Amino acid sequence: MPEGEQEKSQEGITVKKSENFDEWYTQVIIKGEIADYTPVSGCLAFRPIGYGIWENIQKATDIEFKRVGIQNVYFPLFIPERLLKKEQEHVEGFSPEVAWVTHAGKSELEERLAVRPTSETIMYEVISRWVRSWRDLPLRLNQWNNVVRWEFKHPTPFLRSREFLWNEGHSIFATKEEAEAERDQILGIYKKITEEFLALPGIIGRKTDTEKFAGAEASYSIEHLLPDGKAIQGPDFHFDGQRFSKAFEISFIDRDGTRKHAWQNTWAISTREIGVMIAVHGDDKGAIIPPMVSPIQAVIVPIYTEETKRTVIEACTKIHKMLENYRVKLDEREHLTPGRKFYEWELKGVPLRIEVGMKEVSEGTVVLARRDTGERRKVSQEKIVSEVSYELDQIQKNLYRRAKKFLDENIHIVSDLNIIKKEVKEKGGIFRAGWCGSAECEKKIKEETGAKIINLSLDIAASGKCIYCNKEAVYVANIARSY
Ligand SMILES: [Zn+2]
Protein backbone atom coordinates (compact mmCIF):
# COMPACT_ATOMS: atom_id res chain seq x y z
CA MET A 1 0.00 0.00 0.00
CA PRO A 2 1.48 3.41 -0.94
CA GLU A 3 2.15 5.74 1.96
CA GLY A 4 -0.67 8.11 1.09
CA GLU A 5 -3.22 5.30 0.91
CA GLN A 6 -2.36 4.02 4.34
CA GLU A 7 -2.69 7.47 5.84
CA LYS A 8 -6.11 7.65 4.21
CA SER A 9 -7.49 4.47 5.72
CA GLN A 10 -6.55 5.54 9.22
CA GLU A 11 -7.94 9.03 8.88
CA GLY A 12 -11.17 8.21 7.11
CA ILE A 13 -14.51 6.95 8.34
CA THR A 14 -13.89 3.39 9.51
CA VAL A 15 -17.48 2.22 9.99
CA LYS A 16 -20.49 2.07 7.70
CA LYS A 17 -23.44 4.35 8.41
CA SER A 18 -25.86 1.45 8.02
CA GLU A 19 -23.92 -0.79 10.40
CA ASN A 20 -22.97 1.47 13.31
CA PHE A 21 -24.79 4.75 13.05
CA ASP A 22 -23.65 6.23 16.40
CA GLU A 23 -19.97 5.63 15.74
CA TRP A 24 -20.30 6.76 12.11
CA TYR A 25 -21.95 10.01 13.25
CA THR A 26 -19.23 10.83 15.77
CA GLN A 27 -16.47 10.08 13.26
CA VAL A 28 -18.05 12.35 10.62
CA ILE A 29 -18.30 15.23 13.12
CA ILE A 30 -14.75 14.83 14.44
CA LYS A 31 -12.83 13.63 11.35
CA GLY A 32 -14.86 15.87 9.04
CA GLU A 33 -13.64 18.79 11.21
CA ILE A 34 -17.15 20.05 11.84
CA ALA A 35 -16.69 20.23 15.62
CA ASP A 36 -14.40 18.91 18.33
CA TYR A 37 -14.60 17.86 21.95
CA THR A 38 -13.39 20.20 24.70
CA PRO A 39 -12.29 19.63 28.30
CA VAL A 40 -15.87 20.43 29.37
CA SER A 41 -17.98 17.34 28.74
CA GLY A 42 -21.03 18.06 26.61
CA CYS A 43 -19.70 21.45 25.44
CA LEU A 44 -18.39 21.55 21.87
CA ALA A 45 -15.83 23.54 19.95
CA PHE A 46 -17.44 24.51 16.66
CA ARG A 47 -14.75 24.35 13.95
CA PRO A 48 -15.00 26.70 10.94
CA ILE A 49 -17.22 24.31 8.94
CA GLY A 50 -19.62 23.75 11.84
CA TYR A 51 -19.76 27.40 12.81
CA GLY A 52 -20.02 28.42 9.14
CA ILE A 53 -23.10 26.23 8.77
CA TRP A 54 -24.61 27.87 11.85
CA GLU A 55 -23.86 31.35 10.50
CA ASN A 56 -25.72 30.49 7.30
CA ILE A 57 -28.72 29.08 9.20
CA GLN A 58 -28.71 32.16 11.41
CA LYS A 59 -28.48 34.57 8.48
CA ALA A 60 -31.31 32.94 6.56
CA THR A 61 -33.55 32.74 9.63
CA ASP A 62 -32.78 36.30 10.70
CA ILE A 63 -33.80 37.64 7.29
CA GLU A 64 -37.17 35.87 7.61
CA PHE A 65 -37.68 37.19 11.16
CA LYS A 66 -36.93 40.78 10.17
CA ARG A 67 -39.21 40.50 7.15
CA VAL A 68 -42.18 39.94 9.49
CA GLY A 69 -41.16 42.69 11.91
CA ILE A 70 -39.21 40.84 14.59
CA GLN A 71 -36.37 42.84 16.19
CA ASN A 72 -33.18 41.54 17.80
CA VAL A 73 -32.19 42.27 21.40
CA TYR A 74 -29.70 40.92 23.92
CA PHE A 75 -30.18 40.03 27.58
CA PRO A 76 -27.72 38.85 30.27
CA LEU A 77 -26.31 35.35 30.56
CA PHE A 78 -27.19 35.28 34.28
CA ILE A 79 -30.56 34.99 35.97
CA PRO A 80 -31.00 35.77 39.70
CA GLU A 81 -32.50 32.79 41.54
CA ARG A 82 -35.59 34.67 42.73
CA LEU A 83 -36.54 35.45 39.11
CA LEU A 84 -36.10 31.90 37.87
CA LYS A 85 -38.51 30.79 40.60
CA LYS A 86 -41.27 33.20 39.71
CA GLU A 87 -43.25 30.92 37.39
CA GLN A 88 -43.83 27.57 39.08
CA GLU A 89 -44.08 25.11 36.17
CA HIS A 90 -41.21 26.79 34.38
CA VAL A 91 -38.80 26.43 37.31
CA GLU A 92 -39.85 22.83 37.97
CA GLY A 93 -39.15 21.93 34.35
CA PHE A 94 -35.69 23.43 34.36
CA SER A 95 -34.25 23.21 37.86
CA PRO A 96 -32.66 19.75 37.51
CA GLU A 97 -30.50 21.06 34.65
CA VAL A 98 -29.57 24.53 35.86
CA ALA A 99 -25.89 25.43 36.34
CA TRP A 100 -25.34 27.97 39.15
CA VAL A 101 -22.81 30.69 39.76
CA THR A 102 -22.28 30.89 43.51
CA HIS A 103 -19.00 32.77 43.93
CA ALA A 104 -17.18 35.82 42.60
CA GLY A 105 -13.52 35.20 43.29
CA LYS A 106 -13.44 33.96 46.89
CA SER A 107 -16.58 35.62 48.13
CA GLU A 108 -19.94 33.94 48.06
CA LEU A 109 -22.67 35.79 46.17
CA GLU A 110 -25.63 37.01 48.20
CA GLU A 111 -27.95 35.49 45.64
CA ARG A 112 -27.08 32.57 43.37
CA LEU A 113 -27.15 33.29 39.64
CA ALA A 114 -28.39 30.72 37.16
CA VAL A 115 -26.58 30.41 33.85
CA ARG A 116 -29.56 30.89 31.53
CA PRO A 117 -31.24 27.65 30.48
CA THR A 118 -33.64 29.95 28.54
CA SER A 119 -34.34 33.66 29.08
CA GLU A 120 -38.07 34.12 29.81
CA THR A 121 -37.59 35.17 33.42
CA ILE A 122 -34.78 37.69 33.01
CA MET A 123 -36.38 39.17 29.90
CA TYR A 124 -39.91 39.52 31.23
CA GLU A 125 -38.82 41.18 34.48
CA VAL A 126 -37.28 43.95 32.38
CA ILE A 127 -39.82 44.01 29.56
CA SER A 128 -42.68 44.51 32.02
CA ARG A 129 -41.37 48.10 32.31
CA TRP A 130 -41.53 48.60 28.55
CA VAL A 131 -45.20 47.72 28.19
CA ARG A 132 -47.60 50.39 29.44
CA SER A 133 -50.32 50.83 26.87
CA TRP A 134 -51.88 48.89 24.00
CA ARG A 135 -49.81 51.21 21.80
CA ASP A 136 -46.63 49.45 22.98
CA LEU A 137 -47.85 46.16 21.52
CA PRO A 138 -47.17 43.88 19.80
CA LEU A 139 -43.57 43.55 20.90
CA ARG A 140 -41.83 40.87 18.86
CA LEU A 141 -38.27 40.31 20.05
CA ASN A 142 -35.54 37.79 19.38
CA GLN A 143 -32.07 37.09 20.65
CA TRP A 144 -29.32 34.93 19.16
CA ASN A 145 -27.44 33.45 22.08
CA ASN A 146 -26.19 30.38 23.92
CA VAL A 147 -27.90 28.51 26.75
CA VAL A 148 -26.76 25.86 29.21
CA ARG A 149 -28.76 22.84 30.34
CA TRP A 150 -26.63 20.53 32.43
CA GLU A 151 -28.10 17.22 31.31
CA PHE A 152 -26.76 14.01 32.72
CA LYS A 153 -27.68 11.85 29.75
CA HIS A 154 -24.80 10.82 27.51
CA PRO A 155 -23.89 13.89 25.41
CA THR A 156 -23.75 13.58 21.60
CA PRO A 157 -22.21 16.39 19.55
CA PHE A 158 -24.95 18.85 18.44
CA LEU A 159 -27.77 16.37 19.13
CA ARG A 160 -27.46 16.54 22.90
CA SER A 161 -25.10 19.21 24.20
CA ARG A 162 -24.99 20.95 27.56
CA GLU A 163 -24.34 24.28 25.91
CA PHE A 164 -25.95 25.07 22.59
CA LEU A 165 -26.63 28.08 20.39
CA TRP A 166 -30.12 29.06 19.28
CA ASN A 167 -32.56 31.82 18.59
CA GLU A 168 -34.92 32.75 21.40
CA GLY A 169 -38.01 34.44 20.05
CA HIS A 170 -40.26 36.18 22.57
CA SER A 171 -43.39 38.00 21.50
CA ILE A 172 -46.01 39.86 23.44
CA PHE A 173 -49.49 40.64 22.15
CA ALA A 174 -52.56 42.46 23.41
CA THR A 175 -54.96 39.66 22.44
CA LYS A 176 -55.04 35.89 22.50
CA GLU A 177 -56.08 35.81 18.84
CA GLU A 178 -53.01 37.76 17.72
CA ALA A 179 -50.72 35.53 19.78
CA GLU A 180 -52.26 32.37 18.34
CA ALA A 181 -52.07 33.71 14.80
CA GLU A 182 -48.30 34.04 15.10
CA ARG A 183 -47.91 30.28 15.35
CA ASP A 184 -48.34 29.48 11.67
CA GLN A 185 -46.12 32.36 10.62
CA ILE A 186 -43.20 31.24 12.81
CA LEU A 187 -43.63 27.53 12.06
CA GLY A 188 -43.77 28.53 8.39
CA ILE A 189 -40.39 30.25 8.72
CA TYR A 190 -38.87 27.20 10.43
CA LYS A 191 -40.38 24.90 7.82
CA LYS A 192 -38.78 27.01 5.09
CA ILE A 193 -35.36 27.03 6.79
CA THR A 194 -35.34 23.30 7.52
CA GLU A 195 -36.70 22.21 4.13
CA GLU A 196 -35.17 24.73 1.73
CA PHE A 197 -31.85 25.40 3.43
CA LEU A 198 -31.06 22.26 5.45
CA ALA A 199 -32.89 19.91 3.02
CA LEU A 200 -34.58 18.35 6.06
CA PRO A 201 -38.22 17.29 5.95
CA GLY A 202 -40.15 17.10 9.20
CA ILE A 203 -43.46 16.39 10.83
CA ILE A 204 -45.19 19.45 12.24
CA GLY A 205 -47.49 18.90 15.17
CA ARG A 206 -48.61 19.80 18.66
CA LYS A 207 -46.86 18.37 21.71
CA THR A 208 -48.96 16.53 24.28
CA ASP A 209 -49.41 18.21 27.69
CA THR A 210 -46.84 15.78 29.14
CA GLU A 211 -44.23 16.73 26.55
CA LYS A 212 -44.85 20.47 26.22
CA PHE A 213 -42.36 23.16 27.24
CA ALA A 214 -42.21 23.96 30.96
CA GLY A 215 -44.49 26.97 31.40
CA ALA A 216 -46.28 26.81 28.03
CA GLU A 217 -50.01 26.37 27.45
CA ALA A 218 -49.30 24.56 24.18
CA SER A 219 -46.11 23.58 22.35
CA TYR A 220 -45.62 22.80 18.67
CA SER A 221 -42.64 21.15 17.05
CA ILE A 222 -41.08 20.05 13.81
CA GLU A 223 -39.84 16.48 14.36
CA HIS A 224 -37.13 14.93 12.22
CA LEU A 225 -36.34 11.26 11.69
CA LEU A 226 -32.72 10.12 12.07
CA PRO A 227 -31.27 7.26 9.98
CA ASP A 228 -31.28 4.96 13.03
CA GLY A 229 -35.08 5.18 13.13
CA LYS A 230 -35.25 7.53 16.11
CA ALA A 231 -37.10 10.83 16.00
CA ILE A 232 -35.55 14.07 17.21
CA GLN A 233 -37.21 17.38 17.98
CA GLY A 234 -36.28 20.25 15.70
CA PRO A 235 -37.49 23.87 15.91
CA ASP A 236 -40.39 24.58 18.22
CA PHE A 237 -43.04 27.18 19.05
CA HIS A 238 -44.79 27.72 22.38
CA PHE A 239 -48.03 29.51 23.10
CA ASP A 240 -47.48 30.66 26.68
CA GLY A 241 -50.89 32.24 27.23
CA GLN A 242 -50.81 34.64 30.20
CA ARG A 243 -48.73 32.54 32.60
CA PHE A 244 -45.62 34.67 32.37
CA SER A 245 -47.44 37.96 31.93
CA LYS A 246 -49.26 37.27 35.21
CA ALA A 247 -46.11 36.11 37.04
CA PHE A 248 -44.07 39.08 35.78
CA GLU A 249 -46.88 41.64 35.63
CA ILE A 250 -46.66 42.39 31.92
CA SER A 251 -49.87 44.37 31.65
CA PHE A 252 -51.16 47.34 29.69
CA ILE A 253 -54.03 49.81 29.55
CA ASP A 254 -56.20 48.74 26.62
CA ARG A 255 -58.23 50.92 24.28
CA ASP A 256 -61.23 50.59 26.60
CA GLY A 257 -59.26 52.02 29.53
CA THR A 258 -58.96 48.76 31.49
CA ARG A 259 -55.72 47.06 32.55
CA LYS A 260 -55.10 43.66 30.91
CA HIS A 261 -52.40 41.03 30.96
CA ALA A 262 -50.56 40.38 27.71
CA TRP A 263 -50.46 37.14 25.69
CA GLN A 264 -47.09 35.61 24.88
CA ASN A 265 -45.25 33.17 22.64
CA THR A 266 -41.70 31.83 22.49
CA TRP A 267 -39.89 29.96 19.69
CA ALA A 268 -36.49 28.55 18.81
CA ILE A 269 -34.23 26.85 16.29
CA SER A 270 -30.93 25.53 17.63
CA THR A 271 -27.53 24.16 16.62
CA ARG A 272 -29.04 20.69 17.03
CA GLU A 273 -30.17 21.11 13.40
CA ILE A 274 -26.53 20.91 12.31
CA GLY A 275 -26.30 17.43 13.82
CA VAL A 276 -29.60 16.31 12.29
CA MET A 277 -28.45 17.58 8.90
CA ILE A 278 -25.11 15.75 9.08
CA ALA A 279 -26.82 12.56 10.29
CA VAL A 280 -29.48 12.56 7.59
CA HIS A 281 -27.43 13.47 4.50
CA GLY A 282 -23.97 11.99 5.14
CA ASP A 283 -22.69 8.72 3.66
CA ASP A 284 -19.82 6.26 4.18
CA LYS A 285 -17.33 8.79 2.79
CA GLY A 286 -18.32 11.49 5.31
CA ALA A 287 -20.51 14.57 5.50
CA ILE A 288 -22.68 15.95 2.68
CA ILE A 289 -23.61 19.55 3.39
CA PRO A 290 -26.50 21.10 1.45
CA PRO A 291 -25.21 23.95 -0.78
CA MET A 292 -27.59 26.53 0.74
CA VAL A 293 -25.83 26.31 4.13
CA SER A 294 -22.39 24.94 3.23
CA PRO A 295 -19.64 27.43 4.10
CA ILE A 296 -17.78 26.09 1.03
CA GLN A 297 -20.17 25.36 -1.85
CA ALA A 298 -17.52 24.24 -4.32
CA VAL A 299 -13.80 23.52 -4.21
CA ILE A 300 -11.49 23.95 -7.19
CA VAL A 301 -8.76 21.31 -7.32
CA PRO A 302 -5.93 21.99 -9.80
CA ILE A 303 -4.25 18.92 -11.33
CA TYR A 304 -0.77 19.65 -12.71
CA THR A 305 2.82 18.56 -13.25
CA GLU A 306 5.86 20.74 -12.65
CA GLU A 307 5.69 21.89 -16.33
CA THR A 308 1.96 22.65 -16.45
CA LYS A 309 1.62 24.08 -12.95
CA ARG A 310 1.67 27.76 -13.86
CA THR A 311 -0.83 27.44 -16.70
CA VAL A 312 -3.25 25.31 -14.66
CA ILE A 313 -3.11 27.58 -11.58
CA GLU A 314 -3.70 30.60 -13.81
CA ALA A 315 -6.81 29.00 -15.31
CA CYS A 316 -8.05 28.02 -11.82
CA THR A 317 -7.58 31.56 -10.53
CA LYS A 318 -9.62 32.87 -13.45
CA ILE A 319 -12.40 30.35 -12.77
CA HIS A 320 -12.32 31.23 -9.06
CA LYS A 321 -12.82 34.88 -9.96
CA MET A 322 -15.73 34.05 -12.28
CA LEU A 323 -17.43 32.28 -9.37
CA GLU A 324 -17.03 35.14 -6.90
CA ASN A 325 -20.74 35.20 -6.10
CA TYR A 326 -20.52 31.67 -4.71
CA ARG A 327 -18.63 30.37 -1.68
CA VAL A 328 -15.77 28.73 -3.59
CA LYS A 329 -12.36 27.65 -2.35
CA LEU A 330 -9.33 27.20 -4.58
CA ASP A 331 -7.21 24.46 -3.01
CA GLU A 332 -3.65 25.49 -3.90
CA ARG A 333 -1.90 23.41 -1.23
CA GLU A 334 1.27 22.00 -2.75
CA HIS A 335 2.04 19.21 -0.30
CA LEU A 336 -1.10 17.21 -1.13
CA THR A 337 -1.92 15.18 -4.25
CA PRO A 338 -5.20 15.91 -6.08
CA GLY A 339 -6.48 12.49 -4.93
CA ARG A 340 -5.78 13.36 -1.31
CA LYS A 341 -7.63 16.65 -1.73
CA PHE A 342 -10.66 14.94 -3.35
CA TYR A 343 -10.81 12.60 -0.40
CA GLU A 344 -10.50 15.36 2.20
CA TRP A 345 -13.25 17.57 0.73
CA GLU A 346 -15.53 14.56 0.37
CA LEU A 347 -15.04 13.78 4.06
CA LYS A 348 -15.80 17.41 4.94
CA GLY A 349 -18.98 17.42 2.86
CA VAL A 350 -18.29 20.11 0.22
CA PRO A 351 -21.16 19.57 -2.25
CA LEU A 352 -19.35 20.27 -5.54
CA ARG A 353 -15.78 19.72 -6.77
CA ILE A 354 -14.32 21.47 -9.79
CA GLU A 355 -11.36 19.58 -11.33
CA VAL A 356 -9.02 21.43 -13.67
CA GLY A 357 -6.06 19.71 -15.36
CA MET A 358 -3.95 20.62 -18.42
CA LYS A 359 -6.38 18.72 -20.66
CA GLU A 360 -9.29 20.85 -19.43
CA VAL A 361 -7.25 24.04 -19.77
CA SER A 362 -6.48 23.31 -23.43
CA GLU A 363 -10.09 22.31 -24.13
CA GLY A 364 -11.55 25.29 -22.26
CA THR A 365 -13.50 22.95 -19.97
CA VAL A 366 -13.66 21.83 -16.33
CA VAL A 367 -14.96 18.65 -14.68
CA LEU A 368 -17.76 19.06 -12.12
CA ALA A 369 -18.06 16.23 -9.56
CA ARG A 370 -21.14 15.98 -7.35
CA ARG A 371 -20.67 14.93 -3.72
CA ASP A 372 -24.20 13.49 -3.37
CA THR A 373 -24.22 11.16 -6.39
CA GLY A 374 -20.52 10.96 -7.33
CA GLU A 375 -21.44 11.95 -10.91
CA ARG A 376 -18.77 13.73 -12.95
CA ARG A 377 -19.58 15.95 -15.90
CA LYS A 378 -17.42 18.00 -18.25
CA VAL A 379 -18.64 21.55 -18.90
CA SER A 380 -17.35 24.55 -20.80
CA GLN A 381 -15.43 27.18 -18.81
CA GLU A 382 -17.44 29.91 -20.50
CA LYS A 383 -20.62 28.55 -18.95
CA ILE A 384 -19.10 27.83 -15.55
CA VAL A 385 -21.33 30.24 -13.61
CA SER A 386 -24.62 28.84 -14.89
CA GLU A 387 -23.36 25.24 -14.71
CA VAL A 388 -22.24 25.58 -11.09
CA SER A 389 -25.50 27.29 -10.21
CA TYR A 390 -27.41 24.45 -11.90
CA GLU A 391 -25.47 21.67 -10.13
CA LEU A 392 -25.73 23.28 -6.69
CA ASP A 393 -29.47 23.58 -7.19
CA GLN A 394 -29.71 19.92 -8.30
CA ILE A 395 -27.70 18.76 -5.27
CA GLN A 396 -29.85 20.79 -2.90
CA LYS A 397 -33.04 19.32 -4.39
CA ASN A 398 -31.71 15.78 -4.51
CA LEU A 399 -30.72 15.86 -0.82
CA TYR A 400 -34.20 16.98 0.14
CA ARG A 401 -35.83 14.39 -2.14
CA ARG A 402 -33.76 11.57 -0.63
CA ALA A 403 -34.49 12.66 2.93
CA LYS A 404 -38.20 13.06 2.19
CA LYS A 405 -38.36 9.61 0.64
CA PHE A 406 -36.71 8.12 3.72
CA LEU A 407 -39.15 9.90 6.02
CA ASP A 408 -42.23 8.94 3.98
CA GLU A 409 -41.14 5.30 3.78
CA ASN A 410 -40.73 5.20 7.53
CA ILE A 411 -44.10 6.58 8.58
CA HIS A 412 -46.26 3.58 9.44
CA ILE A 413 -50.01 3.93 9.90
CA VAL A 414 -50.97 1.47 12.64
CA SER A 415 -53.97 0.48 14.73
CA ASP A 416 -52.39 -2.35 16.73
CA LEU A 417 -50.02 -1.63 19.63
CA ASN A 418 -48.28 -4.99 19.09
CA ILE A 419 -46.99 -3.81 15.72
CA ILE A 420 -45.31 -0.82 17.40
CA LYS A 421 -43.88 -3.03 20.15
CA LYS A 422 -42.35 -5.34 17.60
CA GLU A 423 -41.24 -2.95 14.87
CA VAL A 424 -40.02 0.00 16.93
CA LYS A 425 -37.00 -1.98 18.07
CA GLU A 426 -36.37 -3.78 14.78
CA LYS A 427 -36.50 -0.87 12.38
CA GLY A 428 -37.73 2.22 14.20
CA GLY A 429 -39.58 4.93 12.34
CA ILE A 430 -42.69 6.92 13.12
CA PHE A 431 -45.91 5.10 13.95
CA ARG A 432 -49.07 7.06 13.30
CA ALA A 433 -52.08 6.03 15.33
CA GLY A 434 -55.31 7.26 16.89
CA TRP A 435 -55.16 8.51 20.50
CA CYS A 436 -58.03 9.38 22.84
CA GLY A 437 -56.11 12.20 24.55
CA SER A 438 -55.81 10.60 27.99
CA ALA A 439 -52.48 10.97 29.79
CA GLU A 440 -52.92 7.47 31.15
CA CYS A 441 -52.98 5.93 27.64
CA GLU A 442 -49.98 8.07 26.67
CA LYS A 443 -48.05 6.76 29.67
CA LYS A 444 -48.98 3.14 28.92
CA ILE A 445 -47.98 3.47 25.26
CA LYS A 446 -44.57 4.69 26.37
CA GLU A 447 -44.13 2.01 29.02
CA GLU A 448 -45.16 -0.84 26.77
CA THR A 449 -43.45 0.13 23.52
CA GLY A 450 -40.47 2.24 24.61
CA ALA A 451 -41.70 4.86 22.13
CA LYS A 452 -43.48 8.08 23.00
CA ILE A 453 -45.94 10.45 21.36
CA ILE A 454 -43.58 12.94 19.72
CA ASN A 455 -46.40 15.18 18.49
CA LEU A 456 -49.98 15.27 17.26
CA SER A 457 -50.58 15.96 13.57
CA LEU A 458 -52.34 19.27 12.96
CA ASP A 459 -53.51 18.74 9.41
CA ILE A 460 -54.90 15.19 9.57
CA ALA A 461 -58.38 14.60 11.01
CA ALA A 462 -58.60 11.89 13.67
CA SER A 463 -60.62 8.80 12.86
CA GLY A 464 -60.90 5.29 14.29
CA LYS A 465 -59.96 4.24 17.80
CA CYS A 466 -57.28 5.02 20.40
CA ILE A 467 -54.46 2.54 19.88
CA TYR A 468 -54.34 1.82 23.60
CA CYS A 469 -57.87 1.88 25.08
CA ASN A 470 -59.95 1.51 21.93
CA LYS A 471 -62.12 4.53 22.75
CA GLU A 472 -62.88 7.10 20.06
CA ALA A 473 -59.66 8.73 18.79
CA VAL A 474 -59.46 12.50 19.24
CA TYR A 475 -55.94 13.00 17.89
CA VAL A 476 -53.59 11.57 15.27
CA ALA A 477 -50.50 10.71 17.33
CA ASN A 478 -47.00 10.34 15.89
CA ILE A 479 -45.20 7.77 18.03
CA ALA A 480 -41.47 7.05 17.92
CA ARG A 481 -38.42 6.36 19.98
CA SER A 482 -36.90 9.75 20.54
CA TYR A 483 -33.55 11.37 21.34
ZN1 LIG B 1 -56.89 5.91 24.99
Side-chain angles (χ1 to χ4, degrees):
M1 198 187 270
E3 207 180 330
E5 290 295 309
Q6 198 172 7
E7 191 183 316
K8 209 153 96 176
S9 63
Q10 283 166 357
E11 277 179 27
I13 309 297
T14 57
V15 291
K16 286 201 177 340
K17 184 180 184 180
S18 58
E19 286 170 9
N20 187 348
F21 170 74
D22 291 351
E23 175 60 22
W24 169 88
Y25 174 78
T26 308
Q27 287 195 12
V28 173
I29 298 291
I30 305 299
K31 294 182 177 183
E33 297 185 1
I34 291 156
D36 205 353
Y37 296 118
T38 69
V40 187
S41 167
C43 297
L44 284 181
F46 288 58
R47 299 189 69 163
I49 296 175
Y51 198 73
I53 295 169
W54 180 239
E55 284 181 307
N56 289 329
I57 295 173
Q58 200 179 17
K59 233 179 281 169
T61 311
D62 205 60
I63 287 170
E64 297 296 325
F65 285 168
K66 294 206 168 106
R67 186 173 290 158
V68 297
I70 294 158
Q71 295 173 296
N72 285 338
V73 290
Y74 188 78
F75 280 76
L77 170 64
F78 304 113
I79 302 174
E81 186 165 17
R82 82 190 147 82
L83 281 191
L84 198 67
K85 286 184 169 163
K86 257 185 163 174
E87 208 291 322
Q88 199 51 36
E89 268 194 41
H90 186 68
V91 67
E92 278 168 19
F94 281 104
S95 49
E97 301 176 353
V98 173
W100 293 99
V101 178
T102 56
H103 286 76
K106 282 182 181 163
S107 50
E108 197 168 330
L109 298 180
E110 265 177 45
E111 184 181 16
R112 296 198 294 172
L113 296 171
V115 180
R116 65 177 163 224
T118 176
S119 304
E120 280 76 356
T121 55
I122 183 79
M123 288 180 79
Y124 302 162
E125 176 80 2
V126 177
I127 289 174
S128 67
R129 297 199 299 262
W130 303 353
V131 179
R132 289 277 172 258
S133 136
W134 61 272
R135 292 181 193 86
D136 299 325
L137 299 175
L139 201 51
R140 302 177 74 191
L141 306 174
N142 174 59
Q143 56 176 336
W144 290 100
N145 65 17
N146 58 338
V147 288
V148 169
R149 296 178 188 174
W150 211 263
E151 290 194 55
F152 288 92
K153 286 182 193 164
H154 183 66
T156 309
F158 296 117
L159 301 181
R160 198 185 290 119
S161 301
R162 284 177 174 166
E163 180 187 16
F164 56 87
L165 312 183
W166 70 348
N167 96 272
E168 264 191 70
H170 295 262
S171 45
I172 305 171
F173 295 93
T175 65
K176 185 182 183 193
E177 291 68 34
E178 282 175 276
E180 284 179 333
E182 190 187 44
R183 183 193 79 187
D184 289 347
Q185 185 180 59
I186 299 295
L187 286 175
I189 290 174
Y190 287 148
K191 182 173 152 65
K192 177 174 178 177
I193 299 299
T194 51
E195 291 183 356
E196 295 176 21
F197 287 79
L198 299 162
L200 290 174
I203 295 177
I204 297 185
R206 181 180 169 167
K207 288 284 189 187
T208 65
D209 283 349
T210 321
E211 298 287 333
K212 72 182 183 188
F213 178 73
E217 294 278 327
S219 291
Y220 301 84
S221 64
I222 298 180
E223 303 281 334
H224 303 295
L225 182 63
L226 293 177
D228 63 354
K230 280 188 200 163
I232 188 162
Q233 187 179 315
D236 53 15
F237 177 91
H238 312 286
F239 169 63
D240 295 333
Q242 293 179 312
R243 288 183 186 215
F244 289 102
S245 68
K246 284 180 177 163
F248 289 85
E249 202 42 46
I250 302 178
S251 63
F252 61 97
I253 305 294
D254 206 354
R255 284 182 172 85
D256 62 7
T258 63
R259 179 168 291 278
K260 291 174 184 168
H261 283 101
W263 296 84
Q264 294 177 266
N265 296 323
T266 52
W267 20 277
I269 185 170
S270 80
T271 42
R272 173 182 272 188
E273 293 300 298
I274 299 172
V276 177
M277 187 193 83
I278 298 293
V280 168
H281 301 311
D283 63 14
D284 291 341
K285 289 179 177 175
I288 304 178
I289 306 172
M292 291 291 277
V293 291
S294 187
I296 304 173
Q297 295 175 306
V299 61
I300 303 170
V301 179
I303 303 162
Y304 53 75
T305 61
E306 233 11 83
E307 294 80 59
T308 62
K309 183 175 168 183
R310 234 183 100 183
T311 321
V312 171
I313 293 286
E314 248 176 47
C316 287
T317 308
K318 201 179 123 209
I319 291 161
H320 194 197
K321 183 87 179 64
M322 288 170 83
L323 293 169
E324 65 187 357
N325 290 332
Y326 295 86
R327 299 186 288 271
V328 178
K329 183 178 174 65
L330 168 54
D331 189 349
E332 287 189 88
R333 290 176 297 174
E334 292 191 351
H335 66 287
L336 295 177
T337 63
R340 190 64 187 74
K341 290 177 184 175
F342 290 4
Y343 160 82
E344 180 181 324
W345 296 115
E346 280 175 353
L347 176 61
K348 292 179 176 174
V350 171
L352 191 66
R353 182 174 72 228
I354 303 168
E355 303 168 14
V356 185
M358 197 52 214
K359 185 156 179 280
E360 285 75 32
V361 174
S362 49
E363 286 171 353
T365 63
V366 302
V367 173
L368 301 183
R370 277 174 66 158
R371 174 64 183 87
D372 60 333
T373 59
E375 284 164 345
R376 295 170 79 249
R377 193 164 69 88
K378 200 164 255 197
V379 303
S380 136
Q381 279 179 27
E382 278 173 25
K383 291 188 182 158
I384 186 83
V385 176
S386 60
E387 294 286 2
V388 164
S389 161
Y390 172 79
E391 290 296 351
L392 291 176
D393 187 49
Q394 291 300 306
I395 296 166
Q396 183 76 31
K397 285 179 178 149
N398 182 46
L399 290 176
Y400 180 76
R401 214 164 28 228
R402 284 205 309 216
K404 182 79 168 70
K405 185 167 175 278
F406 174 76
L407 175 64
D408 290 346
E409 284 172 358
N410 285 284
I411 296 175
H412 315 291
I413 316 263
V414 289
S415 52
D416 179 357
L417 197 70
N418 288 315
I419 296 177
I420 305 183
K421 282 185 200 171
K422 184 169 172 287
E423 293 191 356
V424 80
K425 286 186 194 78
E426 277 172 22
K427 54 183 185 183
I430 291 163
F431 298 85
R432 192 166 277 170
W435 176 51
C436 65
S438 103
E440 187 57 25
C441 286
E442 182 184 12
K443 198 173 143 215
K444 290 285 182 193
I445 292 168
K446 195 173 174 181
E447 280 172 8
E448 293 184 22
T449 66
K452 69 175 187 185
I453 300 178
I454 53 169
N455 68 16
L456 308 168
S457 288
L458 296 175
D459 51 356
I460 309 170
S463 62
K465 308 286 181 196
C466 170
I467 192 159
Y468 195 82
C469 69
N470 237 8
K471 283 185 197 144
E472 210 60 40
V474 181
Y475 301 101
V476 176
N478 296 302
I479 303 166
R481 279 192 304 158
S482 180
Y483 255 76

